[in-house]
Amino acid sequence: MSAYTDYLTSVRRLLHDANGQFWSDSELLDYINQGRDRVVRDTGCYRILQTRNLTTPNETYSLTLGFPTSNEVFDVLNVTIQWGNSRISLAYMPWTQFNAQMRYWNSNVGRPVCFSVYAYGMVYVAPVPDQTYVGEWDTVCKPPAIVDGTTVEVIPYPFGSPVQYFAAHLAKIKEQSWGESEKFLQLYSMEMRGSLGSVMTRRIPNPYNRA
């Protein structure tokens, strides 16, 4: 079965509308895609490692333009640059700290050492690059919409499981069944936290760290 069919079947079972008497496939598909977007926003589970150069004299880099992927980028988790034979991971600073400490000198030019995200749409780096550096950006992206049975799901397991509850939540809002809508939203939150917990509790500590 395809992701398209799986999602529709799951949501219809929750809504007790197996025969499509109250919600059409196209309407539920809109809710499913909104649910997929919400899961990625809440968990950051759909990440793409992208190459984008840091160039002189550019201090700022847009999240909406300039990345090679066609997927909409809405967050950056990490930036690494290549410097000779080394890979330098830039430190992250909250904007207020970054603005106060790293942008004090107008002529602060050199190899970038840190970055910050401003207004959820622009990345600043400091110092301003003194040359072109090959950059590796760890980005969180909006997942491409499911349109039919041929669409391949990009959201990894187990993060697809909360989608059905958020879609059912939206369907019940349209029906103005506020109590059921709230219950589905609670189920979404529980399932989302469970999905996060299932992939973040089995990491093996660094065996070389004796501190």
Side-chain angles (χ1 to χ4, degrees), residues 77-140:
L77 305 182
N78 193 12
V79 181
T80 302
I81 61 172
Q82 295 183 23
W83 185 49
N85 292 324
S86 303
R87 300 169 66 87
I88 310 297
S89 183
L90 305 191
Y92 169 77
M93 284 187 180
W95 171 253
T96 301
Q97 180 185 5
F98 179 90
N99 190 48
Q101 297 183 6
M102 303 304 300
R103 303 181 75 233
Y104 180 81
W105 296 105
N106 290 328
S107 58
N108 188 15
V109 177
R111 174 175 59 81
V113 297
C114 67
F115 77 100
S116 186
V117 180
Y118 178 75
Y120 306 102
M122 192 72 67
V123 173
Y124 280 71
V125 299
V128 175
D130 58 349
Q131 64 184 49
T132 296
Y133 295 90
V134 176
E136 190 175 72
W137 300 64
D138 183 3
T139 60
V140 180

Side-chain angles (χ1 to χ4, degrees), residues 30-200:
D30 286 342
Y31 298 150
I32 287 167
N33 281 318
Q34 290 180 59
R36 295 170 66 248
D37 290 350
R38 178 62 181 267
V39 167
V40 174
R41 283 165 44 200
D42 287 345
T43 66
C45 64
Y46 181 48
R47 296 162 64 175
I48 301 178
L49 202 59
Q50 307 190 58
T51 300
R52 181 180 182 181
N53 290 347
L54 279 65
T55 56
T56 184
N58 298 313
E59 178 188 28
T60 61
Y61 299 84
S62 171
L63 289 182
T64 58
L65 299 171
F67 285 100
T69 182
S70 59
N71 300 91
E72 179 181 341
V73 175
F74 64 86
D75 198 8
V76 172
L77 305 182
N78 193 12
V79 181
T80 302
I81 61 172
Q82 295 183 23
W83 185 49
N85 292 324
S86 303
R87 300 169 66 87
I88 310 297
S89 183
L90 305 191
Y92 169 77
M93 284 187 180
W95 171 253
T96 301
Q97 180 185 5
F98 179 90
N99 190 48
Q101 297 183 6
M102 303 304 300
R103 303 181 75 233
Y104 180 81
W105 296 105
N106 290 328
S107 58
N108 188 15
V109 177
R111 174 175 59 81
V113 297
C114 67
F115 77 100
S116 186
V117 180
Y118 178 75
Y120 306 102
M122 192 72 67
V123 173
Y124 280 71
V125 299
V128 175
D130 58 349
Q131 64 184 49
T132 296
Y133 295 90
V134 176
E136 190 175 72
W137 300 64
D138 183 3
T139 60
V140 180
C141 300
K142 179 179 179 178
I146 290 177
V147 295
D148 55 33
T150 65
T151 305
V152 177
E153 177 59 289
V154 298
I155 295 177
Y157 178 84
F159 292 100
S161 59
V163 172
Q164 58 185 323
Y165 298 109
F166 196 82
H169 158 69
L170 295 176
K172 286 298 180 178
I173 286 180
K174 184 241 183 176
E175 193 181 57
Q176 296 188 338
S177 297
W178 306 113
E180 291 180 88
S181 173
E182 179 64 25
K183 185 61 178 179
F184 280 127
L185 186 59
Q186 292 174 5
L187 290 170
Y188 163 79
S189 297
M190 291 174 57
E191 191 69 16
M192 185 266 295
R193 290 193 297 269
S195 296
L196 281 170
S198 68
V199 299
M200 294 185 177

